[in-house]
Amino acid sequence: MATNNNNLYRYADIAPEFEIEFFPKRSQDRTPIKPLQAGETLPSFHIHKKNIIATSDTLKSLNGSLPVTQVIDRPLVLAFHSIHWNNYGNTLLEKLQEVYADIRVLGGQLVVATTNDKQTFENATAQYQLPFATIFDQYNGIAKKAGLYATTDPIWDRVAGIEADVPVPGIYVLTPSLKIVYASVDKWFDQPFAKEALLEALQAANQEQEHAIAI
C-alpha cells in the first residue's frame, strides 16, 4: 500500500462508537479481488423482503424474494456501503443524497446495498433521513458477485482504519438486464465517484432503453 495516500487516512479513520466486527483469519490464498467494470454484466441476485431496510418506489411492492431483474424496470444505480468505512461511508451517503433527485429526473433508480443490518444501519444514519431504497447485503453476497469482496483479499489486511470484513466501495449504473454501463470502484479509498460521470452514464443508459422499447 502506498504511504503517500492522505485521503486513505482521512476517509478510513477509526470510529470508536462502532464495535469491531469479527472477521475470518487471513486466507492462505492471496488472490486479489477483481471488481466488475463497464461492459461486463453483473450476475443476477435476489432481493429478499426481510433484508429491505428502506423502500422507495423501487421496492415498495416486493414480497418474499425476487430476482433483481424482476424488481427493476429502468436503469439502476447500485451503490455499496458500510458504516465500517467510517467517514468515507458517511460522505458517500451524503453525496448519494445530493444526487438522488437527479437520478430520478433522468429516469433511474437508486438502491444502496449495505453490509449492515436494519437496526445497525438506521442507528448509524438516522441524522441523514435517507430517501432512497436500502437493502442489507447479508454475507456480502451481492458484493461478491460484483467482485468487490473476497475472503482471499481482505480489506482489513491492507487498508488502515478498516477493521471489519467488508467490501471495497463500488457504484454501478446497470441496465435492466444488469449490463454495466458505468463502474466506479475505489479500492484504496482515494477516488470517490464523480457525480457528473455517473449522471452522464445514467442518461445514456436511459436513452438506450427508450430506443430499444421504441423499436
Side-chain angles (χ1 to χ4, degrees), residues 10-76:
R10 184 175 75 243
Y11 286 125
D13 55 339
I14 297 174
E17 66 269 26
F18 298 132
E19 293 184 4
I20 295 177
E21 289 187 349
F22 171 82
F23 41 81
K25 293 181 179 179
R26 187 178 291 106
S27 172
Q28 296 301 312
D29 179 4
R30 303 300 296 171
T31 304
I33 57 172
K34 294 181 179 179
L36 296 180
Q37 299 297 328
E40 299 183 282
T41 299
L42 178 69
S44 184
F45 58 90
H46 279 65
I47 296 180
H48 302 269
K49 185 174 182 179
K50 66 181 179 65
N51 287 336
I52 294 176
I53 295 173
T55 64
S56 66
D57 58 331
T58 306
L59 302 177
K60 276 185 178 179
S61 60
L62 188 146
N63 288 305
S65 174
L66 285 175
V68 65
T69 51
Q70 294 184 28
V71 177
I72 62 172
D73 57 1
R74 55 191 189 275
L76 172 69

Side-chain angles (χ1 to χ4, degrees), residues 99-180:
V99 79
Y100 181 57
D102 293 320
I103 290 173
R104 289 173 60 85
V105 167
L106 291 174
Q109 304 167 94
L110 172 61
V111 172
V112 172
T114 180
T115 63
N116 308 106
D117 60 47
K118 180 179 176 68
Q119 182 175 353
T120 304
F121 181 83
E122 289 182 341
N123 288 345
T125 64
Q127 72 272 28
Y128 295 116
Q129 298 182 337
L130 301 172
F132 40 74
T134 307
I135 58 176
F136 173 31
D137 185 16
Q138 194 168 19
Y139 308 121
N140 300 305
I142 306 172
K144 287 178 185 176
K145 290 179 180 290
L148 301 174
Y149 169 87
T151 57
T152 60
D153 188 15
I155 189 173
W156 47 264
D157 195 34
R158 54 188 175 82
V159 177
I162 304 295
E163 302 198 25
D165 191 33
V166 295
V168 299
I171 296 181
Y172 294 95
V173 175
L174 308 166
T175 68
S177 63
L178 302 187
K179 178 182 177 182
I180 300 170

